[in-house]
């Protein structure tokens, strides 16, 4: 994938910590994801409970780190393939379905739109869709049938 200045510029602004609105949106789009986030064998009874737990906030940070790594290696994404495939395998093991990553992608676009307003133009949106699809494609290589 060619380096896209728009992605780099937008990435720097949201990077670590992200924006919690990403995950408010996630549970609106796919409430079935809530029980997959369980820590110390304990599940959350509401999205709000989940969103305020330190473990879940740490997961947001992890997602953002992966997205950030993809942005940093935009011209050389194949060097992340093994890592992403392995990450996909770990998600399969905790019960995530490949289709569920779509809800994360939609939430990511939602967050970027909310954070950047009219500056988040169609060409930037398309570049993000391309980047996120590449990450998901690499993660789905780890799925065992
Ligand atoms: C780990 C769930 C999407 C990146 C985990 C864990 C769970 C989980 C339960 C293990 C506990 C933890 O570390 O918090 C989910 C669910 C997702 C999702 C339900 C929604 C479909 C993603 C996406 C990314 C991601 C899209 C990155 C693009 C990570 C990372 C880890 C992780 C980096 C740590 C893996 C390790 O310990 O080596 N995820 N995840 N997750 N997730 Fe996700």
């Amino acid at each position: 994938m060619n380096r896209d200045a728009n992605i780099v510029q937008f990435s720097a602004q949201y990077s670590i910590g992200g924006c919690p609105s990403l995950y408010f949106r996630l549970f609106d789009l796919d409430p079935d994801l809530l029980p997959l986030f369980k820590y110390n064998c304990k599940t959350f009874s509401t999205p709000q409970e989940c969103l305020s737990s330190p473990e879940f906030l740490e997961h947001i940070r992890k997602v953002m780190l992966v997205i950030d790594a993809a942005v940093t290696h935009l011209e050389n994404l194949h060097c992340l393939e093994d890592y992403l495939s392995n990450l996909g395998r770990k998600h399969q093991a905790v019960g995530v379905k490949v289709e569920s990553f779509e809800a994360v992608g939609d939430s990511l676009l939602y967050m970027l739109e909310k954070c950047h307003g009219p500056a988040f133009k169609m060409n930037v949106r398309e570049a993000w869709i391309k980047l996120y699809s590449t990450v998901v494609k690499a993660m789905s290589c780890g799925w065992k049938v």
Side-chain angles (χ1 to χ4, degrees), residues 106-123:
D106 290 348
S107 306
L108 180 64
L109 290 174
Y110 176 82
M111 175 196 76
L112 288 163
E113 272 161 3
K114 284 269 169 232
C115 293
H116 301 293
F120 192 65
K121 296 198 183 345
M122 192 51 81
N123 59 326

Side-chain angles (χ1 to χ4, degrees), residues 36-37 39 59 62-63 66 83 87 90-91 96 101 104:
L36 299 182
F37 291 101
Y39 299 101
H59 183 267
K62 290 174 187 171
V63 174
V66 173
Y83 170 77
L87 186 60
K90 286 183 181 174
H91 281 79
V96 177
F101 288 132
V104 179

Side-chain angles (χ1 to χ4, degrees), residues 73-87:
H73 295 89
L74 221 47
E75 285 167 295
N76 195 20
L77 273 178
H78 67 88
C79 73
L80 294 178
E81 276 168 7
D82 285 351
Y83 170 77
L84 291 174
S85 158
N86 197 29
L87 186 60

Side-chain angles (χ1 to χ4, degrees), residues 23-35:
Y23 281 93
F24 275 112
R25 183 69 173 171
L26 181 64
F27 294 127
D28 282 348
L29 289 173
D30 192 346
D32 292 343
L33 292 178
L34 185 62

